Amino acid sequence: MNHTNLFNYIRSKCPDVVKHLIPMLPADLRFSYFRSVSTEPMSAEQLKTLTILCPDDGSIDEAAGVALLLATSDDKNSRHISIEYFSELANTHPQIVLPYLHSSLVLLAQPPERNPRILRDLKGNASVALAILRNLSDTQAAVMQNKTILQKLLAEVYSKPRATSYRFIFSFALLSCLPPEEFSEFSEQATKAVDFSISYFLKKDSSKPPKMTRSLLKSVFNYRAKFPNEEQNKQLLDVAVSFPSPLPFSVISDLCQIIQKSPLVFTGTKLVLDFALSVQ
């Protein structure tokens, strides 16, 4: 059995051993295996193996290209592995990850027309952008490089707010990552957008899409937990109390922060305690 067959055998039978084996390989073998694995159909396993094999910055960039495509995959595990990759890459190789941040933001600001996979593409690229922004050591520099495209995206989204638009939902998560002093012109528009969202939540309508409604709920609560607004925080407590289905854990966590900044502490605390008691 030659070394290539042995490597493939270990990958198929003992995948957990691969990460311990590869660091012991000489550079030329790692490069050879990287070239071989890069020709395989894209998958979460392929990306994990490429990540361990990467012998140089060029290979890391190639693996990032695979990760970007997997971010819009229909496979949940592939999407998860992709976002983990970009989160780590933002910490270790910011110079490589910045072009991927830019390309994701461009797609979000200028989504292509007549794309049957547009929702998946928007979600995937939004996840990539957020993973990078949340893990860069110098977020300020990255934001300034993309300020024009960010301003275009936010201005367009808030000019025609739609509660079930993924770009509208994403805008709150995006603003939570941006330096507020650089985007202060959107503060008032964001406040109006939260009011718009609260009205949407409180409106009785059985036709609301559950997944998009929950996504909007998580995004709005996270935004207001980071950037408090006394009046809106009171209204968000009402939204939490009247929400027709169990609240996501992230909303409960954000609600705890909101409660600390609201005079309606008893109502909010009781809601959290009731939720905690319901978890078995």
mmCIF file of all heavy atoms in Angstrom, residues 37-77:
data_model
loop_
_atom_site.group_PDB
_atom_site.id
_atom_site.type_symbol
_atom_site.label_atom_id
_atom_site.label_comp_id
_atom_site.label_asym_id
_atom_site.label_seq_id
_atom_site.Cartn_x
_atom_site.Cartn_y
_atom_site.Cartn_z
ATOM 1 N N VAL A 37 -7.137 16.416 -2.983
ATOM 2 C CA VAL A 37 -8.407 16.626 -2.271
ATOM 3 C C VAL A 37 -9.190 17.778 -2.899
ATOM 4 O O VAL A 37 -10.427 17.756 -2.951
ATOM 5 C CB VAL A 37 -8.144 16.904 -0.774
ATOM 6 C CG1 VAL A 37 -9.447 17.279 -0.052
ATOM 7 C CG2 VAL A 37 -7.516 15.683 -0.115
ATOM 8 N N SER A 38 -8.490 18.780 -3.437
ATOM 9 C CA SER A 38 -9.173 19.949 -4.009
ATOM 10 C C SER A 38 -9.971 19.599 -5.268
ATOM 11 O O SER A 38 -10.827 20.383 -5.681
ATOM 12 C CB SER A 38 -8.163 21.054 -4.323
ATOM 13 O OG SER A 38 -7.287 20.655 -5.364
ATOM 14 N N THR A 39 -9.701 18.453 -5.878
ATOM 15 C CA THR A 39 -10.444 18.044 -7.078
ATOM 16 C C THR A 39 -11.714 17.269 -6.742
ATOM 17 O O THR A 39 -12.502 16.958 -7.634
ATOM 18 C CB THR A 39 -9.561 17.166 -7.991
ATOM 19 O OG1 THR A 39 -9.234 15.943 -7.307
ATOM 20 C CG2 THR A 39 -8.282 17.893 -8.379
ATOM 21 N N GLU A 40 -11.908 16.962 -5.466
ATOM 22 C CA GLU A 40 -13.093 16.207 -5.051
ATOM 23 C C GLU A 40 -14.341 17.097 -5.080
ATOM 24 O O GLU A 40 -14.235 18.329 -5.036
ATOM 25 C CB GLU A 40 -12.891 15.660 -3.635
ATOM 26 C CG GLU A 40 -11.732 14.681 -3.499
ATOM 27 C CD GLU A 40 -11.487 14.271 -2.057
ATOM 28 O OE1 GLU A 40 -12.232 14.772 -1.154
ATOM 29 O OE2 GLU A 40 -10.561 13.481 -1.812
ATOM 30 N N PRO A 41 -15.528 16.480 -5.142
ATOM 31 C CA PRO A 41 -16.768 17.266 -5.029
ATOM 32 C C PRO A 41 -16.777 18.020 -3.696
ATOM 33 O O PRO A 41 -16.324 17.498 -2.664
ATOM 34 C CB PRO A 41 -17.879 16.204 -5.075
ATOM 35 C CG PRO A 41 -17.255 15.049 -5.781
ATOM 36 C CD PRO A 41 -15.808 15.045 -5.380
ATOM 37 N N MET A 42 -17.284 19.245 -3.718
ATOM 38 C CA MET A 42 -17.277 20.063 -2.501
ATOM 39 C C MET A 42 -18.153 19.453 -1.418
ATOM 40 O O MET A 42 -19.274 19.006 -1.682
ATOM 41 C CB MET A 42 -17.752 21.481 -2.813
ATOM 42 C CG MET A 42 -16.716 22.322 -3.522
ATOM 43 S SD MET A 42 -17.274 24.025 -3.741
ATOM 44 C CE MET A 42 -18.679 23.756 -4.810
ATOM 45 N N SER A 43 -17.624 19.439 -0.199
ATOM 46 C CA SER A 43 -18.368 18.905 0.945
ATOM 47 C C SER A 43 -17.727 19.431 2.222
ATOM 48 O O SER A 43 -16.612 19.977 2.205
ATOM 49 C CB SER A 43 -18.331 17.371 0.949
ATOM 50 O OG SER A 43 -17.010 16.913 1.193
ATOM 51 N N ALA A 44 -18.419 19.231 3.339
ATOM 52 C CA ALA A 44 -17.870 19.648 4.628
ATOM 53 C C ALA A 44 -16.586 18.888 4.939
ATOM 54 O O ALA A 44 -15.608 19.464 5.431
ATOM 55 C CB ALA A 44 -18.908 19.417 5.725
ATOM 56 N N GLU A 45 -16.563 17.597 4.626
ATOM 57 C CA GLU A 45 -15.367 16.786 4.881
ATOM 58 C C GLU A 45 -14.198 17.257 4.043
ATOM 59 O O GLU A 45 -13.051 17.296 4.498
ATOM 60 C CB GLU A 45 -15.655 15.304 4.593
ATOM 61 C CG GLU A 45 -16.262 14.536 5.733
ATOM 62 C CD GLU A 45 -15.499 14.676 7.042
ATOM 63 O OE1 GLU A 45 -14.249 14.535 7.046
ATOM 64 O OE2 GLU A 45 -16.141 14.962 8.059
ATOM 65 N N GLN A 46 -14.487 17.606 2.781
ATOM 66 C CA GLN A 46 -13.418 18.108 1.924
ATOM 67 C C GLN A 46 -12.808 19.380 2.509
ATOM 68 O O GLN A 46 -11.584 19.526 2.580
ATOM 69 C CB GLN A 46 -13.947 18.386 0.516
ATOM 70 C CG GLN A 46 -12.859 18.872 -0.445
ATOM 71 C CD GLN A 46 -13.388 19.750 -1.572
ATOM 72 O OE1 GLN A 46 -14.365 20.468 -1.388
ATOM 73 N NE2 GLN A 46 -12.746 19.696 -2.731
ATOM 74 N N LEU A 47 -13.667 20.315 2.930
ATOM 75 C CA LEU A 47 -13.164 21.580 3.473
ATOM 76 C C LEU A 47 -12.347 21.347 4.743
ATOM 77 O O LEU A 47 -11.290 21.961 4.926
ATOM 78 C CB LEU A 47 -14.328 22.534 3.768
ATOM 79 C CG LEU A 47 -13.937 23.882 4.381
ATOM 80 C CD1 LEU A 47 -12.967 24.643 3.475
ATOM 81 C CD2 LEU A 47 -15.182 24.728 4.650
ATOM 82 N N LYS A 48 -12.811 20.457 5.608
ATOM 83 C CA LYS A 48 -12.066 20.180 6.844
ATOM 84 C C LYS A 48 -10.676 19.626 6.528
ATOM 85 O O LYS A 48 -9.687 19.994 7.165
ATOM 86 C CB LYS A 48 -12.854 19.207 7.728
ATOM 87 C CG LYS A 48 -14.039 19.850 8.430
ATOM 88 C CD LYS A 48 -14.596 18.991 9.547
ATOM 89 C CE LYS A 48 -15.356 17.796 9.019
ATOM 90 N NZ LYS A 48 -16.035 17.052 10.112
ATOM 91 N N THR A 49 -10.606 18.735 5.527
ATOM 92 C CA THR A 49 -9.315 18.152 5.157
ATOM 93 C C THR A 49 -8.416 19.196 4.511
ATOM 94 O O THR A 49 -7.219 19.281 4.809
ATOM 95 C CB THR A 49 -9.515 16.965 4.197
ATOM 96 O OG1 THR A 49 -10.416 16.020 4.775
ATOM 97 C CG2 THR A 49 -8.191 16.275 3.913
ATOM 98 N N LEU A 50 -8.975 20.016 3.620
ATOM 99 C CA LEU A 50 -8.189 21.084 2.986
ATOM 100 C C LEU A 50 -7.626 22.040 4.032
ATOM 101 O O LEU A 50 -6.485 22.497 3.929
ATOM 102 C CB LEU A 50 -9.054 21.860 1.992
ATOM 103 C CG LEU A 50 -9.450 21.151 0.693
ATOM 104 C CD1 LEU A 50 -10.403 22.024 -0.111
ATOM 105 C CD2 LEU A 50 -8.222 20.800 -0.138
ATOM 106 N N THR A 51 -8.439 22.350 5.033
ATOM 107 C CA THR A 51 -8.015 23.278 6.087
ATOM 108 C C THR A 51 -6.779 22.762 6.819
ATOM 109 O O THR A 51 -5.855 23.521 7.128
ATOM 110 C CB THR A 51 -9.157 23.489 7.098
ATOM 111 O OG1 THR A 51 -10.310 23.979 6.411
ATOM 112 C CG2 THR A 51 -8.762 24.475 8.179
ATOM 113 N N ILE A 52 -6.754 21.469 7.075
ATOM 114 C CA ILE A 52 -5.615 20.879 7.782
ATOM 115 C C ILE A 52 -4.396 20.770 6.873
ATOM 116 O O ILE A 52 -3.254 20.945 7.305
ATOM 117 C CB ILE A 52 -5.988 19.477 8.316
ATOM 118 C CG1 ILE A 52 -7.213 19.549 9.228
ATOM 119 C CG2 ILE A 52 -4.820 18.866 9.083
ATOM 120 C CD1 ILE A 52 -7.802 18.196 9.574
ATOM 121 N N LEU A 53 -4.635 20.528 5.579
ATOM 122 C CA LEU A 53 -3.539 20.300 4.634
ATOM 123 C C LEU A 53 -2.845 21.580 4.164
ATOM 124 O O LEU A 53 -1.683 21.538 3.780
ATOM 125 C CB LEU A 53 -4.059 19.557 3.394
ATOM 126 C CG LEU A 53 -4.272 18.048 3.517
ATOM 127 C CD1 LEU A 53 -5.063 17.534 2.322
ATOM 128 C CD2 LEU A 53 -2.943 17.324 3.623
ATOM 129 N N CYS A 54 -3.571 22.712 4.153
ATOM 130 C CA CYS A 54 -3.076 23.948 3.523
ATOM 131 C C CYS A 54 -1.586 24.193 3.775
ATOM 132 O O CYS A 54 -1.191 24.475 4.914
ATOM 133 C CB CYS A 54 -3.858 25.152 4.041
ATOM 134 S SG CYS A 54 -5.529 25.262 3.372
ATOM 135 N N PRO A 55 -0.744 24.109 2.721
ATOM 136 C CA PRO A 55 0.697 24.298 2.921
ATOM 137 C C PRO A 55 1.163 25.750 2.813
ATOM 138 O O PRO A 55 2.278 26.073 3.212
ATOM 139 C CB PRO A 55 1.306 23.460 1.788
ATOM 140 C CG PRO A 55 0.281 23.496 0.704
ATOM 141 C CD PRO A 55 -1.065 23.617 1.374
ATOM 142 N N ASP A 56 0.334 26.646 2.229
ATOM 143 C CA ASP A 56 0.763 28.030 2.066
ATOM 144 C C ASP A 56 -0.464 28.932 1.929
ATOM 145 O O ASP A 56 -1.605 28.462 1.917
ATOM 146 C CB ASP A 56 1.674 28.181 0.843
ATOM 147 C CG ASP A 56 1.035 27.636 -0.436
ATOM 148 O OD1 ASP A 56 -0.216 27.610 -0.527
ATOM 149 O OD2 ASP A 56 1.781 27.229 -1.348
ATOM 150 N N ASP A 57 -0.228 30.255 1.839
ATOM 151 C CA ASP A 57 -1.335 31.212 1.770
ATOM 152 C C ASP A 57 -2.191 31.008 0.525
ATOM 153 O O ASP A 57 -3.408 31.215 0.555
ATOM 154 C CB ASP A 57 -0.794 32.650 1.792
ATOM 155 C CG ASP A 57 -0.375 33.090 3.187
ATOM 156 O OD1 ASP A 57 -0.524 32.277 4.122
ATOM 157 O OD2 ASP A 57 0.091 34.230 3.333
ATOM 158 N N GLY A 58 -1.560 30.622 -0.587
ATOM 159 C CA GLY A 58 -2.331 30.372 -1.799
ATOM 160 C C GLY A 58 -3.332 29.243 -1.607
ATOM 161 O O GLY A 58 -4.467 29.314 -2.091
ATOM 162 N N SER A 59 -2.916 28.207 -0.896
ATOM 163 C CA SER A 59 -3.807 27.082 -0.616
ATOM 164 C C SER A 59 -4.924 27.496 0.343
ATOM 165 O O SER A 59 -6.065 27.064 0.196
ATOM 166 C CB SER A 59 -3.003 25.924 -0.006
ATOM 167 O OG SER A 59 -1.988 25.513 -0.888
ATOM 168 N N ILE A 60 -4.597 28.337 1.321
ATOM 169 C CA ILE A 60 -5.608 28.826 2.259
ATOM 170 C C ILE A 60 -6.667 29.622 1.508
ATOM 171 O O ILE A 60 -7.874 29.478 1.748
ATOM 172 C CB ILE A 60 -4.958 29.691 3.356
ATOM 173 C CG1 ILE A 60 -4.045 28.825 4.230
ATOM 174 C CG2 ILE A 60 -6.010 30.382 4.216
ATOM 175 C CD1 ILE A 60 -3.210 29.605 5.209
ATOM 176 N N ASP A 61 -6.222 30.444 0.562
ATOM 177 C CA ASP A 61 -7.154 31.223 -0.249
ATOM 178 C C ASP A 61 -8.045 30.307 -1.088
ATOM 179 O O ASP A 61 -9.248 30.552 -1.240
ATOM 180 C CB ASP A 61 -6.368 32.177 -1.150
ATOM 181 C CG ASP A 61 -7.273 33.162 -1.878
ATOM 182 O OD1 ASP A 61 -8.286 33.581 -1.293
ATOM 183 O OD2 ASP A 61 -6.959 33.520 -3.031
ATOM 184 N N GLU A 62 -7.467 29.251 -1.621
ATOM 185 C CA GLU A 62 -8.249 28.293 -2.412
ATOM 186 C C GLU A 62 -9.293 27.598 -1.539
ATOM 187 O O GLU A 62 -10.436 27.399 -1.954
ATOM 188 C CB GLU A 62 -7.308 27.263 -3.041
ATOM 189 C CG GLU A 62 -7.995 26.344 -4.037
ATOM 190 C CD GLU A 62 -7.014 25.437 -4.779
ATOM 191 O OE1 GLU A 62 -5.814 25.797 -4.873
ATOM 192 O OE2 GLU A 62 -7.444 24.382 -5.271
ATOM 193 N N ALA A 63 -8.904 27.235 -0.319
ATOM 194 C CA ALA A 63 -9.849 26.608 0.602
ATOM 195 C C ALA A 63 -10.971 27.575 0.979
ATOM 196 O O ALA A 63 -12.128 27.176 1.131
ATOM 197 C CB ALA A 63 -9.118 26.135 1.859
ATOM 198 N N ALA A 64 -10.625 28.860 1.095
ATOM 199 C CA ALA A 64 -11.639 29.871 1.409
ATOM 200 C C ALA A 64 -12.660 29.978 0.288
ATOM 201 O O ALA A 64 -13.853 30.206 0.533
ATOM 202 C CB ALA A 64 -10.969 31.227 1.653
ATOM 203 N N GLY A 65 -12.212 29.802 -0.956
ATOM 204 C CA GLY A 65 -13.140 29.812 -2.081
ATOM 205 C C GLY A 65 -14.129 28.673 -1.992
ATOM 206 O O GLY A 65 -15.331 28.842 -2.282
ATOM 207 N N VAL A 66 -13.651 27.510 -1.569
ATOM 208 C CA VAL A 66 -14.544 26.366 -1.352
ATOM 209 C C VAL A 66 -15.523 26.686 -0.229
ATOM 210 O O VAL A 66 -16.729 26.416 -0.327
ATOM 211 C CB VAL A 66 -13.727 25.092 -1.012
ATOM 212 C CG1 VAL A 66 -14.655 23.942 -0.598
ATOM 213 C CG2 VAL A 66 -12.864 24.675 -2.197
ATOM 214 N N ALA A 67 -15.015 27.289 0.844
ATOM 215 C CA ALA A 67 -15.865 27.618 1.994
ATOM 216 C C ALA A 67 -16.971 28.588 1.614
ATOM 217 O O ALA A 67 -18.106 28.470 2.081
ATOM 218 C CB ALA A 67 -15.014 28.207 3.120
ATOM 219 N N LEU A 68 -16.655 29.560 0.744
ATOM 220 C CA LEU A 68 -17.664 30.534 0.332
ATOM 221 C C LEU A 68 -18.805 29.850 -0.421
ATOM 222 O O LEU A 68 -19.979 30.176 -0.217
ATOM 223 C CB LEU A 68 -17.026 31.609 -0.546
ATOM 224 C CG LEU A 68 -17.958 32.749 -0.980
ATOM 225 C CD1 LEU A 68 -18.453 33.535 0.233
ATOM 226 C CD2 LEU A 68 -17.242 33.684 -1.955
ATOM 227 N N LEU A 69 -18.469 28.896 -1.274
ATOM 228 C CA LEU A 69 -19.506 28.168 -2.011
ATOM 229 C C LEU A 69 -20.319 27.270 -1.069
ATOM 230 O O LEU A 69 -21.537 27.150 -1.213
ATOM 231 C CB LEU A 69 -18.865 27.334 -3.124
ATOM 232 C CG LEU A 69 -18.229 28.142 -4.263
ATOM 233 C CD1 LEU A 69 -17.473 27.216 -5.217
ATOM 234 C CD2 LEU A 69 -19.288 28.935 -5.030
ATOM 235 N N LEU A 70 -19.650 26.671 -0.090
ATOM 236 C CA LEU A 70 -20.370 25.822 0.866
ATOM 237 C C LEU A 70 -21.296 26.631 1.770
ATOM 238 O O LEU A 70 -22.279 26.105 2.295
ATOM 239 C CB LEU A 70 -19.374 25.035 1.727
ATOM 240 C CG LEU A 70 -18.627 23.893 1.042
ATOM 241 C CD1 LEU A 70 -17.667 23.234 2.029
ATOM 242 C CD2 LEU A 70 -19.591 22.855 0.480
ATOM 243 N N ALA A 71 -20.997 27.920 1.949
ATOM 244 C CA ALA A 71 -21.838 28.779 2.791
ATOM 245 C C ALA A 71 -23.241 28.904 2.235
ATOM 246 O O ALA A 71 -24.186 29.221 2.964
ATOM 247 C CB ALA A 71 -21.209 30.158 2.935
ATOM 248 N N THR A 72 -23.409 28.678 0.934
ATOM 249 C CA THR A 72 -24.731 28.765 0.307
ATOM 250 C C THR A 72 -25.275 27.377 -0.041
ATOM 251 O O THR A 72 -26.226 27.248 -0.805
ATOM 252 C CB THR A 72 -24.667 29.620 -0.973
ATOM 253 O OG1 THR A 72 -23.793 28.998 -1.928
ATOM 254 C CG2 THR A 72 -24.145 31.010 -0.664
ATOM 255 N N SER A 73 -24.674 26.356 0.536
ATOM 256 C CA SER A 73 -25.091 24.979 0.259
ATOM 257 C C SER A 73 -26.455 24.679 0.880
ATOM 258 O O SER A 73 -26.888 25.318 1.844
ATOM 259 C CB SER A 73 -24.042 24.011 0.824
ATOM 260 O OG SER A 73 -24.523 22.695 0.866
ATOM 261 N N ASP A 74 -27.114 23.664 0.351
ATOM 262 C CA ASP A 74 -28.371 23.211 0.944
ATOM 263 C C ASP A 74 -28.126 22.336 2.174
ATOM 264 O O ASP A 74 -29.059 22.044 2.928
ATOM 265 C CB ASP A 74 -29.194 22.409 -0.085
ATOM 266 C CG ASP A 74 -29.706 23.285 -1.214
ATOM 267 O OD1 ASP A 74 -30.006 24.465 -0.946
ATOM 268 O OD2 ASP A 74 -29.810 22.798 -2.352
ATOM 269 N N ASP A 75 -26.882 21.904 2.346
ATOM 270 C CA ASP A 75 -26.533 21.032 3.460
ATOM 271 C C ASP A 75 -26.170 21.856 4.688
ATOM 272 O O ASP A 75 -25.239 22.665 4.658
ATOM 273 C CB ASP A 75 -25.353 20.130 3.074
ATOM 274 C CG ASP A 75 -24.922 19.218 4.203
ATOM 275 O OD1 ASP A 75 -25.722 18.361 4.614
ATOM 276 O OD2 ASP A 75 -23.782 19.386 4.696
ATOM 277 N N LYS A 76 -26.895 21.655 5.779
ATOM 278 C CA LYS A 76 -26.710 22.458 6.994
ATOM 279 C C LYS A 76 -25.312 22.293 7.578
ATOM 280 O O LYS A 76 -24.679 23.264 8.019
ATOM 281 C CB LYS A 76 -27.766 22.075 8.033
ATOM 282 C CG LYS A 76 -27.728 22.914 9.294
ATOM 283 C CD LYS A 76 -28.857 22.535 10.242
ATOM 284 C CE LYS A 76 -28.836 23.400 11.497
ATOM 285 N NZ LYS A 76 -29.956 23.048 12.418
ATOM 286 N N ASN A 77 -24.788 21.061 7.581
ATOM 287 C CA ASN A 77 -23.460 20.827 8.149
ATOM 288 C C ASN A 77 -22.386 21.537 7.341
ATOM 289 O O ASN A 77 -21.431 22.104 7.901
ATOM 290 C CB ASN A 77 -23.166 19.324 8.200
ATOM 291 C CG ASN A 77 -21.854 19.021 8.897
ATOM 292 O OD1 ASN A 77 -21.567 19.534 9.981
ATOM 293 N ND2 ASN A 77 -21.030 18.183 8.278
#
